[in-house]
Every structure is written in C-alpha cells, then in structure tokens.
Amino acid sequence: MEQRTPPGLSAFALMILLCATWGYQQVSIKIASEGISPVLQSGLRSAIALLLLTLWARWRGLAFWQRDGTLRMGLLAGLLFAIEFLFIYLGLAYTTASRMIVFLYTAPCLTVLGLHWCVPGEQLRWRHLGGISLAFAGIVLAFAGKGGARPNAWIGDVLGVLAAVGWAATTVLIRASKLASISATRVLFYQLATSTALLLPIAPLVGEATIGALTLPVVLALAYQGVIVAFASYLTWFWLLTRHLTGRLMVFSFLTPLFGVAFGVLFLGERLTTSFIVAAICVATGIVLVNLPAAGSCDHRQ
C-alpha cells in the first residue's frame, strides 16, 4: 500500500477551497428546498454526480468494474455515505442548519480517533490531539450563541450525531480496507451509485419526494450540489485521501462550518459576531498545531 505523507502547501490550498465549497452547500440546500424536498435533493444530487462521473471516467478510459475484492467494502462505503446524507437531510426538518453543523462536524474528531486505533501510520501525538481539540472548541464557540432552536430540535441533533458517525465510519473504512489502494474515481463511484440506488426510492417512502416550483435559483442550487459538491469536490477529496495522512486533512474540515457562517453573513445578512472571530482563530491555531512537523524530525508517519 502506498505510504501517505503529511499534506503540503498545495494540499492545504485544495482543502481550504474544498471547505469553502462545502460551507456554501448549506446555503444551496436552503435555496433548493424552496422547490425540492430535502431527501429527494440528496438522491438527485448523487444521481447527477454519478452521471458526470461515469461520463468523465469513460472519457478518461477508466474502468469501474474489476475483480479486485473491493466490491463488498465499496458497497458498505456507499451504504454509510447514503445513511450519512439521509440523516442530514431528515435532521434539517427538525433542527436549524447551525445546530446540525455543530453535531455533524464532530465527525473529524471521531475519524481521527478511529484512524489512530485502526490504521498504521495515522497515529497522532498529544500535540496533534490538542490541535484537534482546540479546533473543535472553536466550532462549539462559533455556534454556541446561536439560538432559535425549533421544537423537537433534539431529534435533528441526534440525527446530526448519527450522520457524523456515518461520515467518520466511511473515512476510516476507506483508509483501513482495500479501498485505500484503488482510484479515487472508483471509491466515489461506489458511494454515488449506492446512494443513488437507495435515496431516490427512500424519498417517497418518507414523504420527501415533493417537487414544487423549479425556479432558476432552485435549479442552480441543485446543480451546485450535484456538479460542484458531489462530483468535483468529492473526487478531489478522495484523491487527496489516497496521497496524504487522513488525520491531518480531516482537521481542515473544521473550517467548513465557519465558511458556512461567513456565507450566511454575505448572502443572508447575518451579523458577524466576536465569538465567530475568536472561533476562527481557534480553528486556525488548531490546524497549525496538527500540521507542524516535530522539531528536528522528518518522519512522515508522525
């Protein structure tokens, strides 16, 4: 298995771009919900991305089906991926987007802990764990002051935690199994194909198959989720996972909800608070602690 290395400047830049892309997804989901039920959105975005990925792979001459023993793990990764987004979209019917993000973004902590115990070469030192804790504290600080929780918000909160578990389990599974040795294209294909096959039939069963007015903003928001997020950004993310230590990359995920708040300020007129500025500093400091090499060491396994 190819040895992963700590991310460099190019990986840092890509991760920041990805986090900004994922942060805006919260805005796009709200916009698309004006015309398309949330769970149906999730299935449609997977279907759109699956179509694009298939066309892109054919253009590149890449094959999805090979007898290499990854089918079972690939289907399991796809199931976890589908469950994650089913919980997210269902949870948003009960709780606010801000509360959902808080619980969903416990996933990086769960992932790093899982990798620490399950994947050789991903063990973290106390300094790294301290950086992750500081980044997580920043997330809590950023959203602790946001109120307006809906009735039965705890249902959405629980679904957010379950979604985080699904996300973390997916990442650990990919890194700890044969999926780590195949192309990012095939890993994403497993996830998109399985989630499309599951989420589209589930949508009408849970009363989430409504399509209303397909205005231009609604269509563009759905296209953003399918083309930019589920296709381009996820393909890039899995490509990074095949080359760099996952624990070091996952800490950047803490930036995503902060980007989400920033986009809320820019596009929804929300007020930028002092707590958010302090939270951003905590997250940035946590990233530095996790990614700084040990003094006098060139060990890429640290």
Side-chain angles (χ1 to χ4, degrees):
M1 186 180 297
E2 180 184 352
Q3 183 176 355
R4 272 64 177 176
T5 62
L9 289 178
S10 60
F12 290 166
L14 273 177
M15 280 305 303
I16 292 173
L17 178 60
L18 289 178
C19 290
T21 300
W22 298 332
Y24 186 76
Q25 182 178 215
Q26 305 303 318
V27 177
S28 70
I29 291 173
K30 289 295 185 182
I31 295 174
S33 294
E34 296 296 323
I36 306 173
S37 298
V39 175
L40 181 58
Q41 277 188 65
S42 183
L44 289 175
R45 79 168 198 154
S46 288
I48 292 170
L50 177 61
L51 174 62
L52 292 174
L53 183 67
T54 302
L55 294 174
W56 182 81
R58 176 163 296 188
W59 174 64
R60 293 284 306 274
L62 303 176
F64 288 134
W65 302 112
Q66 300 177 18
R67 291 183 175 274
D68 57 3
T70 62
L71 178 59
R72 184 182 301 177
M73 289 297 100
L75 293 177
L76 179 56
L79 175 62
L80 292 172
F81 182 82
I83 289 174
E84 173 195 344
F85 283 95
L86 177 64
F87 286 152
I88 290 173
Y89 281 85
L90 286 176
L92 285 171
Y94 294 96
T95 192
T96 63
S98 297
R99 292 181 66 87
M100 172 61 70
I101 290 174
V102 171
F103 294 103
L104 177 61
Y105 277 84
T106 59
C109 290
L110 299 174
T111 299
V112 169
L113 292 176
L115 292 171
H116 179 77
W117 293 108
C118 299
V119 180
E122 292 279 5
Q123 282 72 28
L124 299 180
R125 299 177 179 178
W126 287 111
R127 172 171 55 84
H128 301 140
L129 295 175
I132 293 168
S133 299
L134 184 59
F136 181 70
I139 292 299
V140 174
L141 178 62
F143 293 99
K146 297 179 73 68
R150 304 172 185 176
N152 297 322
W154 66 270
I155 299 176
D157 296 343
V158 170
L159 290 172
V161 173
L162 293 175
V165 172
W167 176 12
T170 302
T171 305
V172 174
L173 175 67
I174 291 172
R175 283 290 290 112
S177 69
K178 290 183 178 180
L179 295 176
S181 63
I182 66 176
S183 69
T185 305
R186 290 186 62 208
V187 174
L188 184 57
F189 174 78
Y190 279 133
Q191 293 191 303
L192 292 176
T194 306
S195 60
T196 299
L198 291 176
L199 291 173
L200 288 180
I202 284 176
L205 295 179
V206 296
E208 286 283 339
T210 303
I211 297 180
L214 295 179
T215 63
L216 182 60
V218 168
V219 172
L220 289 178
L222 179 62
Y224 177 85
Q225 295 177 53
V227 178
I228 304 300
V229 178
F231 171 60
S233 76
Y234 289 170
L235 188 60
T236 303
W237 165 243
F238 286 119
W239 177 80
L240 286 171
L241 286 182
T242 64
R243 285 159 173 77
H244 301 291
L245 295 176
T246 308
R248 311 293 181 82
L249 292 174
M250 285 299 294
V251 74
F252 278 88
S253 299
F254 287 111
L255 288 172
T256 301
L258 298 183
F259 273 118
V261 171
F263 289 138
V265 172
L266 292 174
F267 298 104
L268 303 178
E270 296 182 356
R271 185 171 60 89
L272 182 62
T273 63
T274 302
S275 63
F276 173 77
I277 297 174
V278 175
I281 295 173
C282 289
V283 171
T285 304
I287 290 173
V288 170
L289 287 175
V290 167
N291 287 284
L292 277 178
S297 173
C298 296
D299 183 5
H300 289 326
R301 298 188 302 111
Q302 66 180 335

